[in-house]
Amino acid sequence: MTATKYLLVLLAMLTTIMAQKELMVNITILHSATAEGAVCLDGSPPAYHLDRGYGTGLRSWIITIDGGGWCSSISDCHNRSNSVLGSSTKMLPPQVRFSGILHNDLRINPDFYNWNRVRVRYCDGSSFTGDVDDVDPDTKLYYRGARIFRAIMNDLSRKGMQTAENAILSGTSAGGLATILNCDKFKSLLPDDARVKCVADAGFFINAKTISGTSDIQDEYKRVVTLHGSAKNLPPSCTSIMEPSLCFFPRNVVPYVQTLLFIINSQYDLWQVEDTNVSNILVPEYLDPQRVWKNCKVHISNCTLSQRIIIQDFGVEFLKAFLGLTPSFTRGYFITSCYSHGQIQSARYWFSANSPRLLNKTIAEAVADWYFDRAEFHQYIDPYPCGRDCWSTS
């Protein structure tokens, strides 16, 4: 083993050791939110985790939103209400780890480690867009995602965010979509002179068809928007020209986001390609009854030639949708070929010896350079022609 390879292995091991010592942060149950009807699916109060900033980060805030898909039917939402994704009473243990962009170690998170760092729990099933006054009389379900977002942001404002000099709204998966859909609302809550930007991770879901040619994700989003009453909380600049559920797709709504936005995604996003979820995009579980995609999901190197061709075609379609966005010199991108889903809350992906690099920059470096205006070029797209295995997000 060469000295360089040995050093890389040593650094990777050090990163793993440090990741195992990540800060565990207690939960904050926002009981006061119930007075304004801002509650989880089951009617319990919303929750978040906060680790206070210090030193140069005392007046800087980074808010991340958890992911977890959506619920598009009463039965789906009822099942969800009995889980951590629909009830704060199920959020046990009461501590979560802060990693990646939330890490408290400057060796892992050099630019944001001492900021006020917040992890918002996701318990509404609509990417924080729902707002229905009536409570379902049979299931006692509440569809109040937009109220939860507002209540938590207002509470954080009272805890010091109203005087923020720097602020970032971020999230992964459904939380990444929530980041895009709520980005301008977030900026409106901050001081006019604050540097406010948004970072959406693994939230660029595309309107692609399944391997059988059906439009499952479009139908799913239409049911979500209808059930949760989301239309009134989607950007009116988008809903005024197209069917509201289409404004759940970032391809259609990103052009109308006024706040500066950085998008992190894989063109071979694992959840969109194949996952054990009936609502994913390319290979939903019901179209794979024999689980022939099971090994392929674990590592792309396990995929058959025909599976890799299907995945590569999806990557082409993803890039076509992504590159179809209106041109922007201020919007940032970091589009990898990793066969993965979610990258900013993993120390291994965010900033480590083996982190994915584009133009020799890690995700952490690219985001920080863009946020602090340290580099003019901030659009990174991996030219690799097909998906590859990268670090696990575990």
Side-chain angles (χ1 to χ4, degrees), residues 230-242:
S230 300
K232 59 180 174 291
N233 291 308
L234 298 173
S237 50
C238 180
T239 58
S240 64
I241 61 173
M242 64 182 71

Side-chain angles (χ1 to χ4, degrees), residues 107-229:
R107 294 169 294 180
I108 299 296
N109 191 23
D111 289 283
F112 310 114
Y113 72 97
N114 65 344
W115 284 28
N116 296 281
R117 287 157 293 112
V118 182
R119 180 173 167 181
V120 177
R121 302 300 291 269
Y122 179 40
C123 67
D124 73 280
S126 72
S127 285
F128 293 99
T129 61
D131 191 357
V132 177
D133 285 327
D134 296 335
V135 180
D136 188 287
D138 297 320
T139 61
K140 302 297 189 294
L141 290 176
Y142 296 77
Y143 304 106
R144 306 281 180 79
R147 297 190 196 186
I148 292 174
F149 181 84
R150 183 169 59 248
I152 290 179
M153 295 305 138
N154 286 340
D155 192 60
L156 294 175
S157 292
R158 290 188 290 268
K159 292 181 176 178
M161 199 171 71
Q162 79 275 10
T163 61
E165 296 175 348
N166 299 291
I168 294 175
L169 177 67
S170 68
T172 296
S173 192
L177 178 58
T179 297
I180 295 170
L181 298 176
N182 289 285
C183 185
D184 288 339
K185 294 177 184 176
F186 178 70
K187 181 174 175 58
S188 71
L189 299 172
L190 277 296
D192 292 338
D193 59 348
R195 186 199 302 263
V196 182
K197 300 184 182 183
C198 300
V199 178
D201 174 36
F204 200 91
F205 300 96
I206 67 170
N207 192 3
K209 296 184 184 300
T210 69
I211 54 174
S212 69
T214 56
S215 300
D216 286 22
I217 191 65
Q218 182 174 325
D219 293 340
E220 168 82 352
Y221 280 174
K222 188 169 186 177
R223 291 190 297 268
V224 170
V225 169
T226 300
L227 180 64
H228 291 264

Side-chain angles (χ1 to χ4, degrees), residues 210-212 268-277 280-314 339:
T210 69
I211 54 174
S212 69
Y268 306 101
D269 183 271
L270 176 60
W271 187 92
Q272 297 190 57
V273 171
E274 196 275 332
D275 208 343
T276 54
N277 190 303
N280 74 324
I281 296 175
L282 185 63
V283 191
E285 188 176 29
Y286 76 93
L287 290 180
D288 186 30
Q290 304 302 317
R291 303 305 306 277
V292 297
W293 283 78
K294 182 178 179 180
N295 289 333
C296 180
K297 175 197 168 186
V298 176
H299 290 293
I300 201 168
S301 54
N302 295 338
C303 300
T304 65
L305 176 60
S306 61
Q307 287 172 327
R308 290 180 72 96
I309 291 173
I310 291 172
I311 293 171
Q312 187 167 351
D313 288 345
F314 179 86
Y339 193 46

Side-chain angles (χ1 to χ4, degrees), residues 27 39-47 65-72 76-92 96 119-128 141-145 148 172-175 228 271 276-277 279:
I27 197 167
V39 293
C40 300
L41 284 168
D42 71 335
S44 60
I65 302 173
D66 280 357
W70 313 272
C71 60
S72 60
D76 286 346
C77 290
H78 184 258
N79 290 335
R80 192 182 183 97
S81 70
N82 292 309
S83 76
V84 67
L85 291 173
S87 172
S88 59
T89 67
K90 307 295 183 182
M91 295 176 184
L92 298 173
V96 295
R119 180 173 167 181
V120 177
R121 302 300 291 269
Y122 179 40
C123 67
D124 73 280
S126 72
S127 285
F128 293 99
L141 290 176
Y142 296 77
Y143 304 106
R144 306 281 180 79
I148 292 174
T172 296
S173 192
H228 291 264
W271 187 92
T276 54
N277 190 303
S279 62

